[in-house]
Amino acid sequence: MRFSTGETRTVFGTGLIGRRPLPQPGEVFDHLVQITDPGLSVSKTHLEFGEHDGVLWIADRFSGNGTIVRRPDDGAVRCEPGRRYLVPRGSRVELAEHFFVID
């Protein structure tokens, strides 16, 4: 993942992304990815991610400003909260004023 903040993260398994991502009681994740967002456009726990057959998926965690996926071979899709979306390499995931690209 290459973030608009300039940071890069190599991830595996499952995780949460947000300003201060926190699992719900009983949840366990491999990664908690924090995004620096002085404008507070990204929710504290904005989205969840995981892997299915070698492809990354994301699910919006009922964030305040939503999540948009832009796949290289498809148009923009606004994510329905709680639903999983596959994000193949080259996709851009927009979290309010920030984004990351799957390398």
Side-chain angles (χ1 to χ4, degrees):
M1 296 177 168
R2 186 170 28 92
F3 289 86
S4 55
T5 59
E7 298 173 69
T8 59
R9 292 290 293 261
T10 300
V11 297
F12 57 88
T14 59
L16 296 174
I17 299 175
R19 284 193 340 266
R20 279 190 32 228
L22 291 173
Q24 292 294 313
E27 290 183 324
V28 178
F29 293 95
D30 298 308
H31 303 276
L32 298 177
V33 181
Q34 188 168 351
I35 294 178
T36 302
D37 180 25
L40 307 180
S41 66
V42 175
S43 295
K44 287 180 184 175
T45 303
H46 199 99
L47 65 80
E48 177 181 352
F49 67 85
E51 198 177 338
H52 178 75
D53 290 338
V55 179
L56 185 77
W57 58 261
I58 58 113
D60 185 278
R61 296 272 288 212
F62 297 87
S63 66
N65 289 319
T67 303
I68 296 173
V69 173
R70 295 182 191 276
R71 296 182 188 103
D73 60 347
D74 203 1
V77 176
R78 178 168 286 282
C79 297
E80 180 183 321
R83 181 174 167 209
R84 291 181 179 183
Y85 294 83
L86 293 176
V87 285
R89 291 186 187 277
S91 297
R92 175 177 160 138
V93 178
E94 299 175 359
L95 303 89
E97 295 174 7
H98 295 273
F99 68 87
F100 63 90
V101 176
I102 307 302
D103 287 333

